[in-house]
Amino acid sequence: MTAPAPPELPVTRLVVWRHGRTGWNAAGRFQGQLDPPLDAVGRAQAAHAAPHLVAAAGLGNRSTAVVASDLGRAADTARALTALLGVPLQLDARLREHGMGTWEGLTRDEVADRYPEQYADWLAGRPVRGRGGEEAPAVVARVLAALADLPPADVAVVVTHGGTSGRMIETLLELGPDHRRVFGPLGNCAWSELARQSGRWRLLRHNASAGPLPEGLAAPGPRLRADPEQGAPGAAGDRPGDGPAQDADAAG
């Protein structure tokens, strides 16, 4: 099963950038539409990644629009980029994270203990019933509406969240529910780049990052237990690519 073709957008090149780390990311706590701030590592990630993103996506040579979720962790990440580019930041609540209802504020272990059947469905990529929040089609609908309202530019940078970015990329690539999670989740401050070519969106790069934080830029975060989806544990902190395997929101 494939998804319907996404609507025409006012841009033909799109960078999807995930926000920097929060303390809740490091603890494996579901954030959803709650709004914990970036921690010290997350702020350092944003400052470190922004110039790399400018260079990698050629943003300095193109007209660029930057639109972010209005949740603080995304908006503050985006400001590291707009400060470099000298462009205004537009906030859009339709780019918020997937609403997770009763799970928001809980750790993975707490959800597994309190709602084992829901948690098993989530791990398997099936729809999660009974927790409240949002269904994936509702997330897709609001994200597409936000993308349709992007200001015209050579490229748009959309600063959003782990679950929301996944639904956005899947939809633009016309992947249906049967192909959900074909692509791994974005790490904190990692990005994907898509271009409209021959009438369809094409993924040019996925989960790119600026690499490890320079020595002394921020203290490394805590080491986390192994993720039951991803396998081996990693240090979610100074390496942007490590975060999604460990934090709760990345898989949506």
Side-chain angles (χ1 to χ4, degrees):
M1 181 186 299
T2 59
E8 291 292 327
L9 303 184
V11 298
T12 58
R13 204 168 192 92
L14 192 66
V15 175
V16 183
W17 192 25
R18 190 183 176 209
H19 63 78
R21 198 187 80 166
T22 71
W24 284 21
N25 287 146
R29 191 175 297 278
F30 288 94
Q31 297 175 121
Q33 296 188 359
L34 298 180
D35 201 12
L38 297 176
D39 63 11
V41 167
R43 293 190 297 273
Q45 287 174 333
H48 179 51
H52 287 267
L53 178 54
V54 170
L59 302 182
N61 302 318
R62 306 175 186 174
S63 63
T64 303
V66 181
V67 183
S69 160
D70 65 339
L71 295 178
R73 58 192 185 269
D76 287 345
T77 298
R79 290 186 181 102
L81 180 62
T82 56
L84 286 179
L85 294 175
V87 301
L89 172 61
Q90 179 178 319
L91 301 181
D92 194 327
R94 294 172 294 184
L95 297 173
R96 288 183 176 187
E97 179 59 293
H98 190 137
M100 296 185 176
T102 55
W103 290 21
E104 293 183 0
L106 301 180
T107 66
R108 282 175 174 265
D109 288 342
E110 289 168 339
V111 170
D113 181 60
R114 299 181 194 183
Y115 310 107
E117 294 182 359
Q118 293 178 3
Y119 187 68
D121 285 338
W122 180 74
L123 289 180
R126 297 187 292 266
V128 179
R129 308 298 183 189
R131 70 176 175 185
E134 295 178 287
E135 301 290 342
V139 178
V140 169
R142 62 174 168 83
V143 165
L144 287 180
L147 294 181
D149 288 341
L150 288 171
D154 292 334
V155 59
V157 180
V158 176
V159 189
T160 185
H161 306 267
T164 302
S165 63
R167 304 297 80 74
M168 184 187 303
I169 292 168
E170 292 161 0
T171 300
L172 291 176
L173 296 179
E174 302 178 45
L175 300 179
D178 292 344
H179 297 97
R180 187 177 175 190
R181 296 188 183 178
V182 167
F183 296 100
L186 288 178
N188 286 122
C189 264
W191 63 86
S192 293
E193 187 174 355
L194 301 97
R196 184 83 172 174
Q197 298 177 350
S198 302
R200 298 191 67 174
W201 285 94
R202 180 182 181 189
L203 186 67
L204 303 182
R205 54 179 56 87
H206 178 61
N207 209 23
S209 80
L213 292 177
E215 182 102 14
L217 186 57
R223 295 193 68 85
L224 302 178
R225 64 175 175 78
D227 181 341
E229 284 186 278
Q230 305 284 346
D238 56 346
R239 297 195 301 274
D242 288 343
Q246 318 304 329
D247 76 73
D249 285 344

